[in-house]
């Protein structure tokens, strides 16, 4: 028997939107409660959110100086 | 009695052993034609089978050589990317006006993180990549990014969401 289904792109997009909304208004109780209900509505939502936390953890592991360096590096390589 | 996972592992191991026996030499020669040295080809051939074993996606392969060469090609590309990024990273560090005080261990960890990020950036178009980097790495607000690039904040947000979504597709569970 396989594990839980992977979150769909639509669910991942929803997680991304929640991330930006909560970043913009971290103390909004109504928003936090809506997010909590979204997380509990489906295990795929929690999975998507966990992925986002891991992604953010990867980015946060870099110091501000390294983030700036990384940004310049990638912009010069790719853009 | 062995658990179901152990039974799956055993089946996968046996399948990979058969794959190795029947196709390892072919793969090594295939890689030798594409890589600078015999040793490099031998290493990458081994890495390919390790990757196949870890993926547990052996099963019934209709075209095992096509599958193996595809995995090997991905590893080759990753190797090129690693060397290219490492060079650019060291050059960037050397070009900093103020030296960044990091130990060799921290430098290695930072490099692996940058490599992970670069892999994720592959899936983004140029505009999306630029906005994603400015927002998520450089920490600019959507207003600042919009002013810099002549875009509305709504448009900036759409690109950031698209970038995050693409990256999340590549984050493992």
């Amino acid at each position: 028997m396989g594990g839980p289904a992977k979150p769909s792109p639509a669910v991942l997009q929803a997680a991304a939107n929640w991330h930006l909304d909560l970043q913009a208004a971290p103390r909004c109780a109504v928003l936090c409660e809506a997010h909590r209900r979204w997380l509990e509505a489906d295990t795929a939502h929690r999975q998507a959110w966990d992925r986002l936390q891991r992604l953010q953890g990867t980015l946060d592991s870099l110091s501000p100086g390294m983030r700036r360096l990384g940004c310049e590096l990638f912009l010069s390589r790719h853009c | 009695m062995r658990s179901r996972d152990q039974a799956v592992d055993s089946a996968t191991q046996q399948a990979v052993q058969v794959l190795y026996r029947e196709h390892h030499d072919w793969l090594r020669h295939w890689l030798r034609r594409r890589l600078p040295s015999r040793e490099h080809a031998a290493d990458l051939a081994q890495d390919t089978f390790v990757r196949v074993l870890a993926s547990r996606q052996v099963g019934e392969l209709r075209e095992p050589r096509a599958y193996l060469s595809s995995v090997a090609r991905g590893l080759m590309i990753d190797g090129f990317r690693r060397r290219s990024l490492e060079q650019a990273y060291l050059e960037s560090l050397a070009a900093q006006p103020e030296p960044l005080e990091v130990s060799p261990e921290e430098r290695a960890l930072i490099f692996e993180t940058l490599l992970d990020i670069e892999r994720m950036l592959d899936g983004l178009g140029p505009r999306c990549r630029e906005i994603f980097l400015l927002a998520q790495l450089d920490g600019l607000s959507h207003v600042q990014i919009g002013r810099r690039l002549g875009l509305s904040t709504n448009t900036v947000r759409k690109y950031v969401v698209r970038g995050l979504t693409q990256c999340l597709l590549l984050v493992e569970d």
Side-chain angles (χ1 to χ4, degrees):
Chain A
M1 177 130 0
K6 293 179 189 290
S8 69
V11 169
L12 294 174
Q13 185 175 318
N17 273 305
W18 277 115
H19 173 67
L20 294 183
D21 287 341
L22 289 166
Q23 256 187 347
R27 292 190 178 82
C28 175
V30 170
L31 191 65
C32 290
E33 173 59 19
H35 177 245
R36 186 191 65 77
R37 278 189 265 110
W38 177 80
L39 282 177
E40 288 175 4
D42 194 323
T43 51
H45 296 180
R46 168 56 70 181
Q47 256 188 302
W49 192 248
D50 287 346
R51 281 195 193 186
L52 194 139
Q53 298 301 297
R54 279 198 295 284
L55 171 63
Q56 200 57 45
T58 296
L59 298 173
D60 289 345
S61 70
L62 297 173
S63 67
M66 276 300 163
R67 288 170 82 131
R68 175 69 48 81
L69 183 147
C71 186
E72 288 168 7
L73 183 64
F74 292 131
L75 285 174
S76 68
R77 278 166 69 77
H78 295 286
C79 298
Chain B
M1 184 175 288
R2 290 188 301 179
S3 70
R4 190 185 205 124
D5 278 348
Q6 286 175 312
V8 169
D9 276 348
S10 174
T12 300
Q13 280 177 29
Q14 283 175 12
V16 174
Q17 277 170 7
V18 170
L19 206 63
Y20 188 94
R21 198 166 50 239
E22 293 180 1
H23 302 292
H24 172 260
D25 278 353
W26 170 83
L27 182 64
R28 203 161 37 83
H29 289 303
W30 185 87
L31 286 166
R32 183 66 188 92
R33 292 197 295 275
R34 289 160 175 79
L35 291 170
S37 76
R38 187 178 302 155
E39 291 75 23
H40 197 171
D43 283 347
L44 206 63
Q46 293 297 108
D47 289 346
T48 300
F49 283 98
V50 168
R51 178 66 66 90
V52 168
L53 186 65
S55 75
R56 296 171 136 208
Q57 288 176 1
V58 184
E60 292 281 334
L61 290 174
R62 265 186 262 170
E63 293 183 54
R65 290 186 178 181
Y67 175 67
L68 288 171
S69 59
S70 169
V71 172
R73 199 175 285 116
L75 288 172
M76 271 196 291
I77 289 169
D78 217 44
F80 296 143
R81 184 209 311 274
R82 175 179 281 271
R83 285 188 290 280
S84 162
L85 181 64
E86 187 172 35
Q87 186 174 346
Y89 170 53
L90 292 174
E91 285 171 4
S92 285
L93 283 177
Q96 292 300 302
E98 300 281 337
L100 292 166
E101 300 290 336
V102 285
S103 66
E105 292 82 7
E106 281 171 322
R107 191 174 287 198
L109 283 170
I110 289 164
F111 174 70
E112 292 299 325
T113 301
L114 291 175
L115 194 58
D116 283 344
I117 294 170
E118 183 161 74
R119 284 192 193 107
M120 288 191 272
L121 294 177
D122 262 357
L124 306 184
R127 178 50 64 101
C128 184
R129 193 182 298 133
E130 182 181 14
I131 291 173
F132 178 83
L133 287 170
L134 291 175
Q136 298 301 115
L137 270 188
D138 213 7
L140 297 187
S141 69
H142 294 182
V143 171
Q144 288 171 314
I145 296 171
R147 278 201 203 115
R148 181 184 288 204
L149 301 178
L151 300 171
S152 70
T153 50
N154 277 347
T155 301
V156 170
R157 179 180 165 123
K158 281 182 186 152
Y159 275 116
V160 174
V161 168
R162 189 185 302 173
L164 281 170
T165 306
Q166 275 298 121
C167 290
L168 290 175
L169 284 166
L170 299 174
V171 173
E172 289 176 2
D173 290 320

